[in-house]
Amino acid sequence: MTTLTKVPFVDLKAQRESIKAEVDAAVLKVFDKGDFILGAAVEKFEADYAAYIGAKHAIGVGTGLAAIELALRAYGVGPGDEVITAANTFIATVLAITAVGATPVFVDMDRERYTIDPAAISAAITSKTRAIVPVHLYGQSVDLHGVLAVARRHNLLVVEDAAQAHGATYNGTRVGTFGHAAAYSFYPAKNLGAYGDGGLITTNDDRTAEKLRLLRNYGQRVKYSHSIAGTNSRLDTVQAAVLGVKLRYLDGWNAARRRHAAAYAARLNKIVHTPVSAADAEHIFHVYVIETDRRDAVRDALRERGIDTGIHYPVPAHLQEVCADLGYELGDFPVTEAAAGRILSLPMYAELSDAQIDYVCQAVADALM
């Protein structure tokens, strides 16, 4: 009989304990050197992350939202343009589109992958459509073959939102290299998370990479010489030092998450809908999402046992108040809306123990009895 009384949704303290000495040494090196803005640790992490993903360039920026926004800006997306994205995404995807003055256009999700449905994209294309932002949600790759086929037919820009997909693959290749550019977030709870905010853009285009480096840093090539209208959105050197340490562990952490997902599925797949890992993708389970018609009751029951959960996301993007002027209504995207009322995210992190997983699974089973 287990004696567990609490299972956190994410346990950043447990992760820190495993790498504390390395992280502290890397951070102190930055402090001692004093290169806090676009310092050596940023350049090294950018090079290491580009090599890890398989991209030619990586450009560190302030946040994941800024990564999408600056990628769109670098390709000239702006007022009068429409950008297609998934209705089931975190609001940052949408706000990045509106930040450049473009109009978000939503489409429904694939029922099993939880990612944008390529078959729905074509119907949403108009003469104003300029780009697609497919979201690799929950750690699983979008059906990139389908998305890219539509993009090629209509000559559309593709900016991958890979904020939840650090190390995920599609047909054996890491996501972040398929589109014109890709955007990452290093929010602390991500599979590769900083100790604060951070983001990054990958691209294989030399000119775009050069423009992105200008855009993130006041549009300047050298100090006080500004060639374009940029902004201040730079990956902090201290955060880059932390991320540089963590990157060495990412594949191992992702493999642990996959093992935990398999353990969850083995216990739960007969009583709730568990995630499906697509045959063409390697899921890295940023979050582990189940579905049940009794979602709220299950969540309450788990909370009573000290088990933290999440809902990603309870209100689809097209029904958010900030999107009201876009004219969408309840019923426009039935697959997304149906899932939003059923999804529940269980604790998921590399340091989860077998006992914790058993405790969570037993609590779910008891709640549904």
Side-chain angles (χ1 to χ4, degrees):
M1 182 73 177
T2 182
T3 58
L4 285 175
T5 58
K6 184 170 178 59
V7 182
F9 184 63
V10 175
D11 193 346
L12 296 179
K13 289 183 179 179
Q15 184 190 74
R16 171 159 168 72
E17 285 303 310
S18 69
I19 56 173
K20 183 178 185 299
E22 292 175 79
V23 169
D24 289 355
V27 169
L28 285 173
K29 186 175 180 180
V30 176
F31 289 162
D32 290 342
K33 191 170 185 179
D35 59 342
F36 299 111
I37 304 297
L38 294 180
V42 175
E43 185 175 354
K44 184 178 189 310
F45 174 67
E46 289 174 336
D48 290 348
Y49 197 76
Y52 174 77
I53 294 298
K56 192 172 182 181
H57 301 281
I59 302 93
V61 296
T63 66
L65 189 159
I68 303 171
E69 176 188 347
L70 294 181
L72 293 172
R73 283 184 63 186
Y75 282 98
V77 177
D81 294 330
E82 293 178 349
V83 178
I84 295 172
T85 194
N88 64 318
T89 186
F90 181 57
I91 200 64
T93 313
V94 183
L95 297 180
I97 295 168
T98 59
V100 301
T103 300
V105 174
F106 299 111
V107 299
D108 217 339
M109 73 174 195
D110 178 284
R111 176 66 184 83
E112 295 300 324
R113 296 178 89 112
Y114 291 107
T115 57
I116 195 167
D117 182 357
I121 295 175
S122 292
I125 294 173
T126 73
S127 60
K128 296 180 180 180
T129 305
R130 180 72 188 284
I132 305 171
V133 179
V135 183
H136 304 299
L137 198 68
Y138 302 155
Q140 174 143 255
S141 170
V142 169
D143 174 3
L144 283 162
H145 175 78
V147 170
L148 294 173
V150 175
R152 283 191 293 268
R153 283 199 303 271
H154 297 273
N155 194 29
L156 300 176
L157 172 73
V158 175
V159 175
E160 299 172 64
D161 181 342
Q164 300 183 11
H166 311 80
T169 67
Y170 179 77
N171 284 334
T173 299
R174 298 194 197 280
V175 301
T177 59
F178 291 87
H180 295 81
Y184 294 85
S185 165
F186 299 125
Y187 183 77
K190 303 292 188 183
N191 292 39
L192 181 62
Y195 287 173
D197 276 320
L200 181 139
I201 306 155
T202 53
T203 183
N204 289 321
D205 185 278
D206 294 344
R207 292 181 63 184
T208 299
E210 180 182 8
K211 188 172 184 180
L212 285 164
R213 292 188 177 98
L214 293 174
L215 284 171
R216 73 174 176 183
N217 191 30
Y218 300 107
Q220 62 183 9
R221 284 189 172 84
V222 294
K223 197 168 185 178
Y224 304 133
S225 178
H226 309 273
S227 56
I228 63 174
T231 188
N232 176 8
S233 184
R234 303 169 297 207
L235 179 61
D236 183 83
T237 306
V238 171
Q239 302 303 339
V242 172
L243 292 164
V245 172
K246 286 190 169 188
L247 182 60
R248 299 195 289 269
Y249 293 90
L250 181 57
D251 283 344
W253 289 340
N254 285 345
R257 286 172 179 262
R258 285 192 292 274
R259 290 194 298 272
H260 300 334
Y264 270 138
R267 291 283 302 273
L268 296 176
N269 62 12
K270 289 183 172 58
I271 58 174
V272 295
H273 181 278
T274 55
V276 174
S277 296
D280 56 12
E282 186 174 62
H283 206 316
I284 51 93
F285 293 99
H286 170 56
V287 290
Y288 187 87
V289 176
I290 63 171
E291 285 189 42
T292 172
D293 290 332
R294 297 173 57 190
R295 188 267 307 283
D296 294 342
V298 172
R299 191 180 199 198
D300 289 344
L302 267 58
R303 184 184 296 117
E304 290 177 3
R305 295 198 185 189
I307 300 168
D308 294 335
T309 59
I311 301 176
H312 298 82
Y313 300 96
V315 180
H318 68 290
L319 299 178
Q320 294 284 349
E321 183 179 354
V322 70
C323 297
D325 61 348
L326 297 175
Y328 292 102
E329 299 178 350
L330 185 66
D332 284 342
F333 304 114
V335 181
T336 292
E337 292 167 16
R342 291 168 44 86
I343 53 179
L344 182 67
S345 301
L346 302 181
M348 174 56 75
Y349 41 94
E351 297 78 16
L352 266 177
S353 68
D354 292 342
Q356 286 175 314
I357 293 171
D358 287 343
Y359 184 64
V360 173
C361 291
Q362 188 61 55
V364 172
D366 289 349
L368 291 171
M369 286 180 63

